[in-house]
Amino acid sequence: MMETERLVLPPPDPLDLPLRAVELGCTGHWELLNLPGAPESSLPHGLPPCAPDLQQEAEQLFLSSPAWLPLHGVEHSARKWQRKTDPWSLLAVLGAPVPSDLQAQRHPTTGQILGYKEVLLENTNLSATTSLSLRRPPGPASQSLWGNPTQYPFWPGGMDEPTITDLNTREEAEEEIDFEKDLLTIPPGFKKGMDFAPKASTAVSTPEAPEPPSQEQWAIPVDATSPVGDFYRLIPQPAFQWAFEPDVFQKQAILHLERHDSVFVAAHTSAGKTVVAEYAIALAQKHMTRTIYTSPIKALSNQKFRDFRNTFGDVGLLTGDVQLHPEASCLIMTTEILRSMLYSGSDVIRDLEWVIFDEVHYINDVERGVVWEEVLIMLPDHVSIILLSATVPNALEFADWIGRLKRRQIYVISTVTRPVPLEHYLFTGNSSKTQGELFLLLDSRGAFHTKGYYAAVEAKKERMSKHAQTFGAKQPTHQGGPAQDRGVYLSLLASLRTRAQLPVVVFTFSRGRCDEQASGLTSLDLTTSSEKSEIHLFLQRCLARLRGSDRQLPQVLHMSELLNRGLGVHHSGILPILKEIVEMLFSRGLVKVLFATETFAMGVNMPARTVVFDSMRKHDGSTFRDLLPGEYVQMAGRAGRRGLDPTGTVILLCKGRVPEMADLHRMMMGKPSQLQSQFRLTYTMILNLLRVDALRVEDMMKRSFSEFPSRKDSKAHEQALAELTKRLGALEEPDMTGQLVDLPEYYSWGEELTETQHMIQRRIMESVNGLKSLSAGRVVVVKNQEHHNALGVILQVSSNSTSRVFTTLVLCDKPLSQDPQDRGPATAEVPYPDDLVGFKLFLPEGPCDHTVVKLQPGDMAAITTKVLRVNGEKILEDFSKRQQPKFKKDPPLAAVTTAVQELLRLAQAHPAGPPTLDPVNDLQLKDMSVVEGGLRARKLEELIQGAQCVHSPRFPAQYLKLRERMQIQKEMERLRFLLSDQSLLLLPEYHQRVEVLRTLGYVDEAGTVKLAGRVACAMSSHELLLTELMFDNALSTLRPEEIAALLSGLVCQSPGDAGDQLPNTLKQGIERVRAVAKRIGEVQVACGLNQTVEEFVGELNFGLVEVVYEWARGMPFSELAGLSGTPEGLVVRCIQRLAEMCRSLRGAARLVGEPVLGAKMETAATLLRRDIVFAASLYTQ
């Protein structure tokens, strides 16, 4: 039987099943049919194609299984297309636009072409990056306000814009050729030539005398006392009208403004200078132009914004952190912002009619005074200038400088009358018993009362003696301490309160003392219940904008408590919002006593009834000193409210002894400080000017106020130079042939020898040993205008405040025998070797006479080794007696005769001069210049004695010709030097700073500004350090809050140590910043700048690094106080300046294409700008 095998069948395929799948449309729905067959679709052409997922395919092919990749098969990975090189295509550039065109000149009747003239074309592809002209098209709307650091500024007024003739600018090496006058008549290499010039007429014309240079007057003083009777006839429709009648000086200023003149108004505080500014703003609005009002400090800008906005409405504000209504017709800003707009070519400048500079006396500020000068120099020609200042003694000189600078007349309107006269008192009281000890020192008419001074001294002395009887004789001269201060202020305020002389401002020159004095008056309450209610509501409304924790800050609570009692404190350590609250309450009359530092007097228009000085001494950053008259007047000027008080009261507290009367007189009645130039070179200024070809740093230096005294006579120098050139051309050439061949050398040797001898003699007279040797009896050689190498003997030595005076007996001729025709001009004027080498002593030709003269050290040509025994007093007495007509013919005393005979014997024995004291061996002068000068003098004497020209009979005449020519050439060289850039005081420093920039790679050898230099232009301060940090990538790796913390070292003004609690990143960052600063400092020293490396690195203060770091990380302000002892106001100022720096760094990062750093700086600025630090000013609300 056959066995059946089991067959193993494969599993059935889905297609073998009696089922068929049908897809319905493309939605993914399927249906099964009970029929066998392949899957079907209801679509006519099957399923749509589907692209594989590229990411999965790339991962699978290249990352998961890279083994299949061919290692050496590169033929498909890199392909090269050959092309034909065309180097000439690199040279193809668009042609420069033609700046000028030829215009035909035709006959007006016939139209015939008579000739052609070259005319400048208007807008020839001008742009903000190629032209300084106002004809260039405006930039993008986004840059119209601030401009752009890459744009050119507009052409500064007072500088000549280049014309067609100047387009072909000459370089220094090129010669200036006049094709009409300077053509050669003899070709080079030829002996003879031909002169094609027209023959001159034979008629002899008498030379005209040169006209003296006309004295230009740019500053025109206006008499502020002469009334303006026809004011309303001249201006029937004024641009602005006030509720009061303007003063005379205000009317005169307004008349000049209507004529579009520039004015300088110098008047006392509260005299009404703002009226002039208001009229200019109204005039600009009427003309549909713009005005810029600049102030030295941000607080004053905010106040003026509120005042002008209430008056005019259309007013904008631009400060470092605020930008309000930038399109307004009147913009208020700080001077630094205007400088930035000028350098960046802001289009706002186009519409500008007036720039008002308030508080111009701030130009004396050492740090920021240079900004005023830069702005005044850079302002374009179409802008008129209004300068408002306190009274200054040199207003005319300053206005003259601006007038010359801008080539326009400046009208100076000064008024010394004060609208509210002041009375100055001394207060010596310290208790309720002595609160009446108030002594008038200077009355309202300006009379100084010595009686009041001595009464104050007596009162103080009497109390001192009583104190000594009670507590022993030992009494300190200054009664310090908070308890003493409290007694003084309580008695003073009680006295003022009874006399209705509140409100009062107390000026104290220390932030700490301000706080102590206000805090010490705990028992004093000066406000009524209704005033307390008003103060409370005002505080609530102002503080409502702060977050909860900020309202509970210790300073806020303390100030609220003081304000409720009518007391206030105002200094830089107070939070800005609290300072504004204090100012507003004070202006409303709710703060009765305000303890303030000097900054309160700077421009803030908040007068009081009384001003009190806590002391007359202040610390100016280096030493303690008395107040200057200008400082005293500025602060005392806050006393007296116009329209409310008949007089203002100024009181000086005498806590210790009464100050000296001379010091008080000088402080109260002395002249205020003059306006002085603080111009200095900064890297920002140099780079901003170097990037513009048409502007030179030398031109900026020439136009500075510091160079004004030496530059104001440049026109006269130019005319004198032209006259000397004519004279030189008319002179006959000296004959220098034959024996006279060494005549020029002989002249130069003689000049050099004379100069060397004068230098050695000057050094002797400046030395201690030289002056010691000039005692009574010393024989000297006298050489001045009256005496030429005459021997004399010193009779008496006396000293005045400046120098020593030597009364000397000198040999001379008898007056009757002095005949000038006895000596020929050759011997008198032409120096022979005997005249130059040694001292050819004067010998009387007839009877010998003598005279007694008072000599300065410079009148003595040599000090001899001889000393005579003389009785100086007897000789002087005899000589003065014989000067009287009655005793004129008396014979001299024996002492006089003996001295004269001895001097005559010495002169006859040593015709070339007696032996003199050697400066090196006898007087022990080891100065290198003296030693080298002595050696050089001996060498010159040998050369002079060997000269051949002196043996020629023609020597005297030819020497005189040569000397006249050489003296004219020397004077021409001096004038050329004064007119050239080489005479600039700051030129050496400029070259040193350019060398620093060249070494660091900011400019190239040709002076072209490179990328790093353009970045530095965008920085507001510490430009080199910030740029180096950016290019070193020192900031890119840090987080935004770390960058902000590090940069605080550049803006923080309070010194201090960074502390040990910082993260390591910040510690390393600080070291890196210091290392970069040290490197820059070393480059500066190597290039010759006199700032040491330690001084440069010492400008960095990292005391607030931790505070800023925690603030940027979000810590509330109330917790920051524990991290540093710095006053809250200074912390806020530091963070505000830091945010400005972050913004400038953000712009610089975008300029160099660093978007990551730019984003970090934007984040850092955002982290800093929050809460109480950036609370909006109350004046802008």
Side-chain angles (χ1 to χ4, degrees):
M1 179 175 162
M2 208 167 123
E3 195 175 39
T4 308
E5 292 183 7
R6 180 175 290 185
L7 294 174
V8 181
L9 297 173
D13 190 82
L15 295 176
D16 297 336
L17 295 173
L19 296 170
R20 183 185 298 175
V22 180
E23 186 188 19
L24 303 175
C26 58
T27 57
H29 292 292
W30 293 80
E31 190 176 308
L32 289 175
L33 300 178
N34 197 8
L35 293 170
E40 291 181 1
S41 171
S42 63
L43 295 173
H45 299 292
L47 295 173
C50 177
D53 185 7
L54 291 178
Q55 187 176 350
Q56 286 183 0
E57 186 181 13
E59 286 178 0
Q60 187 177 352
L61 281 177
F62 297 98
L63 299 178
S64 305
S65 54
W68 69 275
L69 288 170
L71 292 176
H72 304 289
V74 293
E75 64 277 0
H76 295 295
S77 58
R79 295 187 183 184
K80 185 178 180 184
W81 289 269
Q82 290 292 339
R83 68 178 179 84
K84 191 176 178 182
T85 55
D86 182 15
W88 293 106
S89 64
L90 299 173
L91 303 177
V93 290
L94 291 172
V98 182
S100 60
D101 193 11
L102 289 178
Q103 194 178 74
Q105 292 178 304
R106 296 178 181 273
H107 192 280
T109 311
T110 63
Q112 180 189 355
I113 294 177
L114 302 175
Y116 296 90
K117 70 171 182 178
E118 196 172 7
V119 291
L120 273 175
L121 289 177
E122 298 290 326
N123 311 310
T124 54
N125 287 0
L126 301 179
S127 73
T129 54
T130 60
S131 168
L132 292 89
S133 172
L134 284 161
R135 295 194 300 269
R136 74 192 193 200
S142 59
Q143 297 177 3
S144 64
L145 179 65
W146 296 104
N148 191 307
T150 58
Q151 290 184 180
Y152 279 15
F154 291 108
W155 194 267
M159 294 189 196
D160 292 322
E161 274 198 72
T163 57
I164 284 289
T165 52
D166 300 328
L167 289 175
N168 233 343
T169 313
R170 294 193 326 277
E171 296 294 329
E172 287 181 14
E174 292 179 344
E175 276 189 58
E176 183 181 1
I177 299 174
D178 188 332
F179 286 98
E180 291 182 2
K181 298 177 185 171
D182 295 345
L183 293 178
L184 294 175
T185 55
I186 302 173
F190 283 55
K191 289 187 177 178
K192 291 184 180 179
M194 187 171 286
D195 190 359
F196 293 99
K199 295 285 184 282
S201 61
T202 54
V204 180
S205 60
T206 56
E208 293 182 11
E211 291 183 12
S214 59
Q215 192 68 31
E216 295 170 308
Q217 188 180 11
W218 297 105
I220 299 177
V222 177
D223 184 8
T225 57
S226 61
V228 188
D230 54 351
F231 178 73
Y232 292 104
R233 185 182 62 78
L234 292 170
I235 312 176
Q237 294 180 325
F240 190 79
Q241 290 184 326
W242 293 269
F244 55 88
E245 181 71 12
D247 292 342
V248 174
F249 84 92
Q250 293 166 342
K251 286 181 179 178
Q252 285 169 332
I254 289 166
L255 281 174
H256 286 291
L257 294 188
E258 284 283 353
R259 296 176 200 144
H260 209 267
D261 294 330
S262 294
V263 295
F264 183 158
V265 180
H268 280 298
T269 310
S270 305
K273 297 188 289 285
T274 310
V275 165
V276 183
E278 286 175 341
Y279 196 83
I281 295 167
L283 207 56
Q285 290 186 345
K286 182 180 174 182
H287 296 164
M288 300 183 76
T289 54
R290 304 182 88 167
T291 310
I292 284 180
Y293 181 98
T294 72
S295 68
I297 49 178
K298 193 171 135 187
L300 184 56
S301 295
N302 291 337
Q303 286 177 17
K304 289 298 180 187
F305 172 72
R306 181 196 61 176
D307 297 344
F308 290 158
R309 187 184 56 179
N310 293 339
T311 309
F312 299 103
D314 189 22
V315 178
L317 176 67
L318 297 177
T319 59
D321 55 338
V322 176
Q323 182 177 319
L324 295 173
H325 312 301
E327 72 291 340
S329 70
C330 173
L331 290 175
I332 296 169
M333 60 185 71
T334 52
T335 321
E336 279 83 357
I337 287 177
L338 178 55
R339 175 181 64 172
S340 171
M341 289 168 69
L342 285 166
Y343 278 136
S344 303
S346 164
D347 284 322
V348 171
I349 308 298
R350 293 173 183 275
D351 308 328
L352 203 52
E353 184 176 7
W354 305 101
V355 173
I356 303 162
F357 294 92
D358 200 1
E359 308 291 336
V360 172
H361 47 272
Y362 211 86
I363 201 170
N364 286 354
D365 185 73
V366 177
E367 284 296 314
R368 297 171 57 207
V370 61
V371 182
W372 269 256
E373 292 193 49
E374 281 183 78
V375 169
L376 285 164
I377 293 169
M378 291 298 295
L379 277 175
D381 210 23
H382 68 278
V383 182
S384 293
I385 298 167
I386 298 172
L387 303 148
L388 307 177
S389 165
T391 48
V392 285
N394 62 334
L396 273 176
E397 182 195 7
F398 188 74
D400 191 29
W401 166 64
I402 296 173
R404 283 174 197 280
L405 183 68
K406 296 296 170 193
R407 294 187 190 165
R408 59 164 62 191
Q409 290 179 328
I410 310 286
Y411 291 87
V412 181
I413 302 165
S414 290
T415 171
V416 291
T417 55
R418 200 180 273 281
V420 181
L422 301 181
E423 293 179 340
H424 304 255
Y425 293 87
L426 292 176
F427 181 73
T428 57
N430 64 352
S431 65
S432 56
K433 289 181 183 177
T434 57
Q435 69 182 33
E437 291 185 2
L438 199 62
F439 304 97
L440 180 64
L441 194 62
L442 191 68
D443 63 22
S444 56
R445 295 188 306 278
F448 195 85
H449 291 252
T450 52
K451 188 177 170 186
Y453 176 79
Y454 289 120
V457 173
E458 283 301 317
K460 201 75 180 168
K461 198 184 290 181
E462 187 181 341
R463 189 165 337 112
M464 292 243 186
S465 61
K466 281 182 185 174
H467 190 283
Q469 289 169 12
T470 315
F471 299 105
K474 194 175 180 183
Q475 170 67 17
T477 55
H478 178 73
Q479 302 175 11
Q484 293 285 353
D485 277 1
R486 191 182 308 122
V488 170
Y489 279 109
L490 285 172
S491 61
L492 171 68
L493 294 172
S495 169
L496 292 177
R497 199 173 180 184
T498 54
R499 296 167 57 187
Q501 288 192 316
L502 298 180
V504 57
V505 178
V506 180
F507 283 110
T508 306
F509 306 111
S510 155
R511 292 192 298 262
R513 293 280 299 280
C514 267
D515 294 329
E516 279 176 20
Q517 286 160 0
S519 305
L521 302 175
T522 48
S523 61
L524 195 65
D525 192 342
L526 300 169
T527 53
T528 62
S529 55
S530 63
E531 288 174 335
K532 285 185 196 300
S533 171
E534 192 178 343
I535 292 168
H536 177 73
L537 289 172
F538 183 78
L539 276 170
Q540 292 299 314
R541 195 163 67 249
C542 293
L543 298 176
R545 67 188 65 221
L546 301 180
R547 61 186 282 182
S549 61
D550 288 344
R551 285 180 223 155
Q552 301 303 314
L553 285 171
Q555 195 179 86
V556 173
L557 297 174
H558 178 57
M559 189 67 76
S560 302
E561 190 269 330
L562 286 175
L563 289 171
N564 271 309
R565 294 189 286 115
L567 304 177
V569 179
H570 189 288
H571 57 71
S572 58
I574 303 293
L575 290 164
I577 191 168
L578 287 182
K579 278 203 287 189
E580 291 181 348
I581 288 171
V582 169
E583 288 164 9
M584 288 180 168
L585 289 174
F586 184 79
S587 62
R588 290 186 186 189
L590 297 171
V591 171
K592 311 296 182 181
V593 180
L594 178 62
F595 292 91
T597 51
E598 194 177 352
T599 49
F600 184 77
M602 176 50 73
V604 182
N605 186 19
M606 301 212 170
R609 176 75 177 84
T610 306
V611 162
V612 173
F613 287 89
D614 180 70
S615 165
M616 63 177 283
R617 292 182 67 76
K618 65 174 268 192
H619 194 270
D620 61 1
S622 53
T623 55
F624 276 100
R625 60 166 175 80
D626 288 347
L627 288 176
L628 298 173
E631 294 169 336
Y632 180 80
V633 167
Q634 179 81 12
M635 286 181 268
R638 296 295 155 206
R641 298 162 299 176
R642 192 169 187 176
L644 293 175
D645 305 321
T647 58
T649 306
V650 183
I651 298 172
L652 177 63
L653 300 185
C654 304
K655 295 181 183 176
R657 61 181 181 80
V658 180
E660 294 293 329
M661 190 194 294
D663 295 338
L664 289 169
H665 194 277
R666 183 170 56 248
M667 181 179 76
M668 292 179 179
M669 303 185 70
K671 279 190 176 179
S673 305
Q674 291 199 338
L675 293 178
Q676 291 179 330
S677 176
Q678 301 296 339
F679 186 84
R680 67 181 195 281
L681 291 171
T682 61
Y683 291 112
T684 310
M685 182 202 302
I686 293 170
L687 289 166
N688 269 311
L689 294 173
L690 282 179
R691 69 187 175 86
V692 184
D693 297 334
L695 296 177
R696 302 184 319 133
V697 185
E698 290 92 336
D699 290 333
M700 180 75 94
M701 291 190 278
K702 271 183 197 172
R703 285 165 170 75
S704 70
F705 190 36
S706 57
E707 292 286 344
F708 170 64
S710 58
R711 293 277 157 182
K712 66 181 178 183
D713 299 326
S714 54
K715 279 266 176 77
H717 291 338
E718 285 169 6
Q719 289 189 3
L721 189 59
E723 288 298 323
L724 288 172
T725 310
K726 274 188 196 170
R727 272 182 60 194
L728 188 65
L731 284 181
E732 187 184 343
E733 285 277 356
D735 180 11
M736 291 181 284
T737 56
Q739 278 185 310
L740 295 171
V741 71
D742 60 351
L743 181 61
E745 287 84 1
Y746 180 81
Y747 174 81
S748 62
W749 294 334
E751 291 290 303
E752 190 182 349
L753 179 61
T754 308
E755 199 175 315
T756 307
Q757 287 170 341
H758 284 165
M759 182 273 294
I760 293 173
Q761 192 61 21
R762 194 169 59 248
R763 285 288 197 302
I764 290 172
M765 292 302 177
E766 290 168 357
S767 69
V768 177
N769 288 345
L771 289 172
K772 256 187 208 170
S773 65
L774 292 170
S775 54
R778 174 71 66 182
V779 177
V780 294
V781 180
V782 180
K783 189 174 185 179
N784 56 17
Q785 287 182 340
E786 292 82 22
H787 305 279
H788 183 76
N789 289 349
L791 279 186
V793 59
I794 296 175
L795 303 175
Q796 195 180 66
V797 182
S798 57
S799 298
N800 60 15
S801 58
T802 53
S803 62
R804 294 195 180 193
V805 178
F806 304 91
T807 309
T808 311
L809 176 77
V810 185
L811 291 182
C812 66
D813 271 326
K814 280 259 189 205
L816 291 174
S817 67
Q818 197 170 7
D819 188 358
Q821 294 185 359
D822 288 349
R823 299 206 297 249
T827 54
E829 294 188 10
V830 179
Y832 281 87
D834 293 346
D835 299 314
L836 293 169
V837 178
F839 299 98
K840 189 175 181 183
L841 290 181
F842 158 77
L843 278 171
E845 295 185 358
C848 179
D849 200 3
H850 63 275
T851 184
V852 173
V853 290
K854 291 185 182 294
L855 300 178
Q856 299 295 327
D859 296 332
M860 286 176 269
I863 306 171
T864 69
T865 55
K866 305 289 182 185
V867 179
L868 304 181
R869 279 191 181 174
V870 289
N871 189 334
E873 286 183 14
K874 195 179 279 187
I875 293 174
L876 284 172
E877 191 181 320
D878 175 62
F879 184 80
S880 60
K881 182 181 123 182
R882 284 185 288 118
Q883 296 309 302
Q884 299 172 25
K886 169 159 89 163
F887 304 108
K888 205 163 185 81
K889 298 201 175 173
D890 283 12
L893 284 179
V896 180
T897 314
T898 309
V900 169
Q901 291 300 325
E902 194 65 31
L903 288 175
L904 189 60
R905 189 184 61 76
L906 270 174
Q908 289 166 343
H910 306 279
T916 58
L917 292 176
D918 186 87
V920 178
N921 298 326
D922 298 330
L923 299 176
Q924 301 299 312
L925 292 186
K926 304 300 183 186
D927 188 31
M928 187 61 72
S929 61
V930 175
V931 176
E932 289 179 352
L935 295 172
R936 180 64 183 157
R938 282 194 281 278
K939 175 74 176 167
L940 289 168
E941 286 172 356
E942 290 173 15
L943 290 168
I944 287 168
Q945 285 171 333
Q948 295 299 313
C949 59
V950 293
H951 305 301
S952 169
R954 294 171 297 148
F955 168 69
Q958 301 306 317
Y959 182 88
L960 289 175
K961 284 184 186 176
L962 177 69
R963 183 167 67 185
E964 187 180 5
R965 176 174 286 274
M966 297 300 280
Q967 283 175 347
I968 289 176
Q969 287 178 349
K970 187 177 179 182
E971 179 62 14
M972 286 171 67
E973 279 177 25
R974 186 185 75 84
L975 291 172
R976 283 198 192 103
F977 173 76
L978 289 175
L979 290 168
S980 72
D981 295 340
Q982 304 306 312
S983 63
L984 293 169
L985 298 172
L986 291 172
L987 193 70
E989 186 190 342
Y990 165 59
H991 290 314
Q992 290 161 357
R993 287 189 182 271
V994 170
E995 190 57 39
V996 171
L997 294 171
R998 200 173 283 129
T999 308
L1000 293 172
Y1002 289 51
V1003 296
D1004 62 13
E1005 290 300 321
T1008 308
V1009 179
K1010 296 162 78 173
L1011 179 62
R1014 294 188 181 277
V1015 170
C1017 286
M1019 307 295 183
S1020 54
S1021 62
H1022 292 89
E1023 50 280 348
L1024 295 191
L1025 184 53
L1026 283 172
T1027 309
E1028 289 298 300
L1029 289 172
M1030 182 186 288
F1031 277 81
D1032 283 358
N1033 286 327
L1035 305 175
S1036 304
T1037 56
L1038 302 173
R1039 299 198 305 277
E1041 58 269 24
E1042 293 171 342
I1043 297 174
L1046 274 185
L1047 293 180
S1048 70
L1050 281 66
V1051 295
C1052 174
Q1053 292 179 327
S1054 52
D1057 197 22
D1060 300 327
Q1061 306 299 320
L1062 294 178
N1064 283 332
T1065 323
L1066 284 179
K1067 287 182 181 175
Q1068 291 165 6
I1070 290 171
E1071 290 308 313
R1072 187 162 184 184
V1073 171
R1074 282 196 171 124
V1076 172
K1078 186 180 177 187
R1079 177 162 58 84
I1080 296 170
E1082 286 167 351
V1083 170
Q1084 290 192 147
V1085 170
C1087 292
L1089 286 170
N1090 58 6
Q1091 187 181 27
T1092 64
V1093 179
E1094 290 74 22
E1095 286 171 351
F1096 186 74
V1097 178
E1099 291 176 0
L1100 306 175
N1101 292 313
F1102 292 100
L1104 290 180
V1105 170
E1106 187 180 4
V1107 171
V1108 174
Y1109 180 61
E1110 295 299 343
W1111 174 255
R1113 290 177 66 195
M1115 181 183 278
F1117 196 83
S1118 54
E1119 296 178 26
L1120 286 182
L1123 298 177
S1124 166
T1126 309
E1128 291 90 330
L1130 295 181
V1131 172
V1132 169
R1133 181 74 192 116
C1134 170
I1135 296 174
Q1136 286 174 342
R1137 292 179 63 194
L1138 189 55
E1140 291 176 34
M1141 183 175 279
C1142 289
R1143 276 210 311 279
S1144 64
L1145 263 172
R1146 176 197 64 189
R1150 288 176 180 171
L1151 191 66
V1152 295
E1154 280 268 10
V1156 177
L1157 181 60
K1160 284 185 176 180
M1161 298 319 301
E1162 180 73 44
T1163 309
T1166 310
L1167 291 173
L1168 295 172
R1169 295 175 62 86
R1170 63 181 176 86
D1171 298 348
I1172 195 169
V1173 174
F1174 281 87
S1177 167
L1178 299 176
Y1179 291 112
T1180 62
Q1181 301 306 306

